[in-house]
Amino acid sequence: MPAKAPIIVIRRKRVHGGAHGGAWKVAYADFVTAMMALFIVLWLTNASKPIREAVAGYFKDPLGTSTGVGSSMAGVGDNFIVNKENMDLLKQQLEKAIREVPNFDKLKDHIEMTITNEGLRIELMEAAKGTFYDIGSPNLNTHGRDIVVVLAQELGKLPNRLAIEGHAGTKSYSTGRNYSNRELSADRANAARRLMQMNGVGENQVTQVREFADQRLRRTAAPMDPSNRRISVIVQHMVKPGEEAAGGAVAALAAPGTVVGDATKSAAPQH
């Protein structure tokens, strides 16, 4: 009787690649990374331009040593340090803010912003019937208060110092022997300063209030032109600590004139 063939049992080892493998972890990590990138893009899309510039500046210059944008930002949100490299960014932000002021269409031709060696110069110019001030008066009217308050709310977010100037034309609005265009231009500048400090500008942020009367006409060929009557708010460049003294000297040369108010020291008007 022939012998029975041995029974051979083949056991195959099963390889569990699903829950016991690591491939799913890699896929999940990629998914989370993609979602995070999507959320960052969506946030940047809705963020203001200064924030987008600051984020871009950080990746270009993480230490913030070249442009002052990036890790050297002051505070959060829309706070940022304004220097020569990004002064135009502040100009755009202020232009956007004042467009929301009531009756802006009637005021836009009387507001001018220019970048100078000293900083950003914001000029509020008068019309023949008065635009921002009552005629012959240091009192801001409704339009003037609206514009100055908006500027104060925006500039108060900055660490930059401010200077405010008062200008007058040659037409006299004197109400007495002891009150000339000098006093009027000085009082208008100080009225703007007080309102700004009540609406966001720091107590020591305005370092100078200057009066020029008719010594710096906007239109020298037309000294009676109403646009010669104006106030100017100057957002001064930030300077490095080692350049503090030199920066002050440059600012003084850039805009010589009578200082009628100072956050640290007051000077008497010069005649």
Side-chain angles (χ1 to χ4, degrees):
M1 184 175 181
K4 293 182 178 180
I7 300 174
I8 301 174
V9 178
I10 300 176
R11 299 181 181 277
R12 295 180 179 177
K13 185 176 181 181
R14 294 182 180 180
V15 178
H16 300 278
H20 299 286
W24 71 274
K25 298 178 182 178
V26 176
Y28 181 71
D30 290 341
F31 172 75
V32 171
T33 303
M35 291 300 294
M36 182 176 66
L38 174 63
F39 290 138
I40 291 175
V41 171
L42 293 175
W43 172 69
L44 286 173
T45 301
N46 294 319
S48 63
K49 189 169 182 179
I51 292 179
R52 295 198 300 271
E53 292 286 345
V55 173
Y58 175 82
F59 286 102
K60 292 178 182 178
D61 181 28
L63 296 179
T65 56
S66 62
T67 63
V69 179
S71 61
S72 64
M73 285 177 61
V76 295
D78 286 339
N79 277 4
F80 62 101
I81 293 176
V82 180
N83 51 30
K84 292 183 179 180
E85 286 76 17
N86 60 4
M87 188 62 76
D88 188 61
L89 195 62
L90 173 64
K91 180 175 179 287
Q92 295 174 24
Q93 181 178 345
L94 292 176
E95 288 173 341
K96 180 180 179 181
I98 63 176
R99 289 193 193 103
E100 304 300 323
V101 172
N103 298 312
F104 172 73
D105 289 340
K106 297 179 180 179
L107 305 174
K108 62 183 180 180
D109 293 336
H110 301 276
I111 304 171
E112 183 176 278
M113 299 186 191
T114 55
I115 298 175
T116 68
N117 290 333
E118 188 179 4
L120 177 63
R121 175 177 287 268
I122 307 161
E123 295 204 304
L124 307 182
M125 300 168 287
E126 292 296 296
K129 295 183 179 180
T131 306
F132 303 104
Y133 288 86
D134 297 333
I135 296 179
S137 167
N139 299 322
L140 285 150
N141 59 25
T142 301
H143 297 321
R145 288 193 296 270
D146 289 343
I147 291 291
V148 170
V149 167
V150 169
L151 291 175
Q153 291 171 346
E154 295 297 324
L155 299 179
K157 302 174 184 177
L158 306 177
N160 297 65
R161 294 177 177 177
L162 307 176
I164 303 177
E165 297 176 352
H167 299 264
T170 55
K171 183 176 181 179
S172 177
Y173 290 94
S174 176
T175 57
R177 295 181 59 185
N178 297 323
Y179 198 85
S180 66
N181 279 354
R182 281 196 175 277
E183 284 75 23
L184 179 61
S185 60
D187 289 346
R188 285 185 168 184
N190 270 309
R193 173 190 58 80
R194 286 191 294 269
L195 186 59
M196 294 182 78
Q197 289 179 333
M198 291 171 58
N199 289 276
V201 168
E203 189 68 25
N204 296 322
Q205 194 172 354
V206 179
T207 58
Q208 290 182 315
V209 179
R210 309 164 181 164
E211 65 91 355
F212 288 99
D214 58 353
Q215 299 304 302
R216 289 207 168 187
L217 296 176
R218 180 179 176 82
R219 298 188 60 187
T220 55
M224 300 289 285
D225 191 282
S227 66
N228 290 319
R229 305 196 307 271
R230 67 198 189 277
I231 62 164
S232 305
V233 179
I234 301 96
V235 185
Q236 298 174 335
H237 294 303
M238 290 290 290
V239 296
K240 297 178 181 179
E243 300 174 347
E244 186 72 24
V250 171
L253 290 173
T258 302
V259 178
V260 296
D262 193 298
T264 56
K265 182 180 179 181
S266 298
Q270 300 173 359
H271 297 278

